[in-house]
Amino acid sequence: MEKQIVLLPGDGIGTEVIKSAKKVLEAIAEEYHHTFTFTVHAIGGSAIDSNGDPLPPSTVEACKKADAILLGAVGGPKWDQNPSHLRPEKGLLGIRKALDLYANLRPVKAFEKLLHASPLKADRVQGSDLLIVRELTGGLYFGTPSERRDDGKSVVDTLAYTRTEIERIVDKAFQCAQGRKKHLTSVDKANVLESSKLWREVVEQKKADYPEVEVEHLLVDAAAMKLITNPTHFDVIVTENMFGDIISDEASVLTGSLGMLPSASLREDGVGLYEPVHGSAPDIAGQGVANPIGMILSAAMMLRHSFSLNEEAEAIENAVQSVLDNGYHTPDLRMHNGQKAGTKEMTDLIVDHIKTASASTCIMSCYA
């Protein structure tokens, strides 16, 4: 298989973890006989510095031609005082909109070896395995108008959705639930917001098309509480853009570190942008201690969702699991009786496991 992959390192530790993902994908390509061609383009704060634009047109054009995109992270205090159109986050929002990446998938799974790292009690987190499906191109973040009025004395932000926008994300969530435990939780604020009332209407209509999936509705505040008090209750959660942003970040504490979490932002044809949930972490940038696992698992999601390479994705996921089971960890994970490793060391351990497992499989097949 030949695929064109655009790398968007971005800012802070994004430039470090993107190298880890590339190294892992190069190992996968070698072991499974694929050809992955990588090109690097600017986004975020680094693009502002080099191009005067958080999302240069050349980056957008490259991404439109790619089979998939990997993004490190954007942002940092260096650009906090910039006017709104020159903020690094505008690059991220812009590329999502430009590529119509409407569905954001964020899996949250508790690793047995890391249960102690969660701020919640281990017995509460154990067994947590959920997927948050977030609508990504509509809602409050993209509302027009969004402006200050009356000489700055008042502001207005608008939240708008079309029925079509809601239908396609709800369909995606039902499809995900079908492949998992067949339980879907729709999160809204239908007791207050008209947009949420429409959201709930669409979910109720769509569930007739997926009779094997059990559906429940939760108000966003109740869902936020239940994520902490009973996280194993959830399988697939579907919600609108802003609620999904908040809920998914809340759910990330279940794992004990944002550095562990991958995400996928998908277009209807399967092309996607893949990025770790964590930010640019400028306080540790350049120190070689950033956790690369979220970025590496995002690469695994890319193989599965955009390229349909499930065996290769599992090889990466199994390698990550094995390295953690053997006690290796980056400083953010606070493992007991483990062995600390930096970004490069963790990456090399994961690559070594992929190659060793591939060689073992080859030997087994030769004697079969």
Side-chain angles (χ1 to χ4, degrees):
M1 177 180 285
E2 296 185 8
K3 294 293 182 181
Q4 302 288 328
I5 302 169
V6 165
L7 304 179
L8 306 177
D11 310 316
I13 63 170
T15 60
E16 300 171 59
V17 298
I18 206 87
K19 292 177 182 177
S20 296
K22 181 174 182 285
K23 190 169 187 177
V24 169
L25 287 171
E26 287 172 338
I28 289 291
E30 180 181 349
E31 297 301 322
Y32 291 87
H33 310 294
H34 301 303
T35 300
F36 297 147
T37 302
F38 302 93
T39 58
V40 181
H41 295 271
I43 194 172
S46 61
I48 294 171
D49 292 346
S50 62
N51 297 77
D53 186 341
L55 185 63
S58 58
T59 296
V60 176
E61 289 306 308
C63 290
K64 286 182 176 180
K65 296 175 183 177
D67 297 303
I69 303 104
L70 289 178
L71 185 146
V74 298
K78 178 180 179 180
W79 304 280
D80 281 351
Q81 303 306 314
N82 283 15
S84 60
H85 69 285
L86 287 178
R87 296 291 296 274
E89 294 77 13
K90 285 291 184 180
L92 180 56
L93 294 175
I95 196 63
R96 289 171 178 171
K97 197 71 172 179
L99 299 180
D100 196 24
L101 304 174
Y102 77 98
N104 182 238
L105 309 184
R106 289 194 180 186
V108 180
K109 183 177 181 179
F111 289 88
E112 190 70 25
K113 275 280 187 176
L114 301 179
L115 293 179
H116 71 277
S118 173
L120 303 183
K121 292 181 179 179
D123 59 352
R124 183 167 294 176
V125 180
Q126 192 168 32
S128 299
D129 183 1
L130 57 100
L131 175 68
I132 298 173
V133 180
R134 167 190 171 193
E135 201 288 322
L136 206 57
T137 58
L140 196 62
Y141 294 169
F142 293 95
T144 302
S146 179
E147 61 190 22
R148 294 196 177 197
R149 297 177 177 178
D150 303 324
D151 295 324
K153 297 176 182 177
S154 64
V155 296
V156 59
D157 287 300
T158 54
L159 194 165
Y161 269 113
T162 66
R163 180 177 289 272
T164 300
E165 286 176 320
I166 299 172
E167 286 176 341
R168 67 177 180 175
I169 193 66
V170 169
D171 270 323
K172 171 61 74 173
F174 270 109
Q175 291 160 14
C176 291
Q178 279 186 317
R180 290 172 55 94
K181 302 173 186 175
K182 296 180 173 56
H183 184 266
L184 179 66
T185 302
S186 176
V187 173
D188 59 38
K189 194 65 176 173
N191 60 334
V192 176
L193 300 177
E194 196 64 34
S195 58
S196 284
K197 294 175 184 177
L198 176 59
W199 183 283
R200 190 170 290 206
E201 289 173 16
V202 170
V203 174
E204 282 297 297
Q205 291 167 1
K206 284 289 181 181
K207 74 179 185 181
D209 298 332
Y210 305 90
E212 65 274 33
V213 177
E214 179 186 356
V215 178
E216 69 169 341
H217 298 277
L218 280 181
L219 298 177
V220 64
D221 40 357
M225 180 180 66
K226 201 160 193 174
L227 263 177
I228 298 302
T229 58
N230 187 17
T232 58
H233 169 82
F234 296 101
D235 178 27
V236 176
I237 297 173
V238 63
T239 191
E240 61 89 57
N241 202 344
M242 185 178 70
F243 294 162
D245 189 7
I246 297 168
I247 287 287
S248 58
D249 280 352
E250 181 196 11
S252 69
V253 305
L254 301 176
T255 66
S257 172
L258 281 172
M260 296 295 299
L261 299 177
S263 75
S265 301
L266 304 177
R267 201 164 66 191
E268 289 188 83
D269 62 1
V271 172
L273 181 148
Y274 300 85
E275 60 180 311
V277 171
H278 64 69
S280 63
D283 56 319
I284 61 169
Q287 298 178 26
V289 298
N291 188 344
I293 290 178
M295 186 77 252
I296 290 170
L297 290 177
S298 296
M301 291 187 76
M302 179 192 73
L303 295 178
R304 176 172 286 113
H305 292 284
S306 286
F307 301 164
S308 298
L309 296 177
N310 293 321
E311 182 181 353
E312 290 85 337
E314 288 179 7
I316 294 175
E317 293 161 352
N318 290 340
V320 169
Q321 181 72 65
S322 177
V323 169
L324 292 173
D325 287 347
N326 288 331
Y328 294 98
H329 64 99
T330 44
D332 58 302
L333 296 178
R334 300 182 292 114
M335 287 179 66
H336 300 309
N337 302 318
Q339 183 172 337
K340 284 187 180 180
T343 309
K344 183 180 183 301
E345 291 78 12
M346 284 293 284
T347 304
D348 289 343
L349 287 164
I350 291 167
V351 168
D352 289 344
H353 186 278
I354 289 170
K355 292 183 175 180
T356 301
S358 177
S360 299
T361 301
C362 180
I363 293 171
M364 292 293 289
S365 64
C366 289
Y367 283 94

